[in-house]
Amino acid sequence: MNQADHVSTLLKAIGVKNVHILSHDYGDSIAQELLARQNEGVSLFQIESACLLNGGMFKETNFPRPIQKLLGDSPAIGRLISKISNRYLFSFGLSQVFGAKTQPTEEDMYDFWCSYCIRQGYLNSADLLQYIKERSTYNLRWRYALAQSQVPVHVIYGPSDPVNPRPFIDFYREMVPNGSIDVLEESIGHYPQWEDSNTVSQLYIKFINSVLK
């Protein structure tokens, strides 16, 4: 909820009145809350379309990794774990959500770790992962945000994702009958924008062009 507030405040401050949303993971929950506000007529800006990549859109098909649960269930314990985290534990956990054939190299993982550590950002993991609890609290609200959207909703999905496995596909189609979805090759995991960036770019451009016609 707080992140959706921040996005709304920022867009208002810089005078943006119309947006197309492209989101992933945590960003999907933020996109759903923003769509919910638009459905209610209280949005500060107009969403023209929403394209979501792999993320916990539905509680029923979302299975956070054990370390995510541990970090998110208790902020105090989570902060302690964050303090003793290191590059190797980070790499081990992150590699599990990539496809078997699209694993980052050791150099890639080092870059991810360095990004994670900028301004000691890793210390905020426990606080940020409170969004997992919010997904349960606002499950129906965020589900209906997609189902009742008056603007085009599209998903680009990597099926080799232990966090959001294949049952997501049928559940999404049932819950969001007016939405559309592109399912990538079987080898693509939780980070399609990194694992198959060319295809994701092409599919997003195709979706946007269909919206702008």
Side-chain angles (χ1 to χ4, degrees):
M1 281 290 191
N2 287 341
Q3 297 297 329
D5 292 339
H6 295 330
V7 170
S8 297
T9 300
L10 173 62
L11 294 180
K12 180 180 179 181
I14 62 178
V16 173
K17 297 181 179 180
N18 299 78
V19 300
H20 294 271
I21 294 177
L22 175 62
S23 63
H24 172 257
D25 198 271
Y26 185 12
D28 291 349
S29 296
I30 299 170
Q32 287 171 273
E33 173 57 27
L34 294 173
L35 282 169
R37 296 180 186 186
Q38 177 156 297
N39 293 345
E40 295 169 343
V42 296
S43 178
L44 300 180
F45 52 90
Q46 174 65 36
I47 300 170
E48 303 290 351
S49 71
C51 181
L52 294 74
L53 308 185
N54 291 53
M57 289 167 245
F58 309 113
K59 177 177 178 284
E60 294 83 355
T61 60
N62 181 237
F63 302 93
R65 307 303 291 167
I67 187 60
Q68 290 181 303
K69 293 180 180 178
L70 192 59
L71 287 168
D73 285 348
S74 171
I77 296 176
R79 292 187 193 104
L80 177 61
I81 295 173
S82 295
K83 288 181 180 180
I84 62 175
S85 180
N86 59 58
R87 170 187 168 190
Y88 303 101
L89 291 174
F90 171 84
S91 298
F92 173 77
L94 189 61
S95 66
Q96 294 180 340
V97 300
F98 284 83
K101 298 180 180 179
T102 52
Q103 287 287 308
T105 65
E106 185 175 348
E107 183 178 357
D108 292 329
M109 280 296 189
Y110 180 70
D111 289 341
F112 295 156
W113 171 250
C114 289
S115 298
Y116 187 47
C117 291
I118 292 174
R119 297 183 181 178
Q120 296 185 312
Y122 63 94
L123 295 178
N124 295 318
S125 294
D127 292 327
L128 288 175
L129 284 169
Q130 296 307 301
Y131 75 85
I132 294 177
K133 293 180 181 178
E134 288 190 334
R135 281 176 174 166
S136 295
T137 302
Y138 301 110
N139 183 42
L140 292 180
R141 173 180 175 81
W142 291 349
R143 178 193 300 178
Y144 293 134
L146 298 177
Q148 299 174 354
S149 174
Q150 299 301 305
V151 301
V153 172
H154 186 63
V155 169
I156 301 175
Y157 173 74
S160 186
D161 182 358
V163 182
N164 300 282
R166 286 192 70 93
F168 164 82
I169 300 171
D170 289 337
F171 194 86
Y172 168 78
R173 285 172 171 158
E174 179 182 355
M175 293 295 106
V176 192
N178 293 326
S180 54
I181 183 170
D182 282 309
V183 179
L184 302 174
E185 292 186 5
E186 189 64 37
S187 61
I188 306 303
H190 185 71
Y191 289 94
Q193 72 274 30
W194 191 91
E195 298 176 62
D196 193 2
S197 57
N198 287 337
T199 301
V200 170
S201 297
Q202 291 168 8
L203 292 173
Y204 183 64
I205 291 171
K206 179 181 177 182
F207 168 65
I208 281 295
N209 285 339
S210 71
V211 172
L212 297 177
K213 283 183 179 179

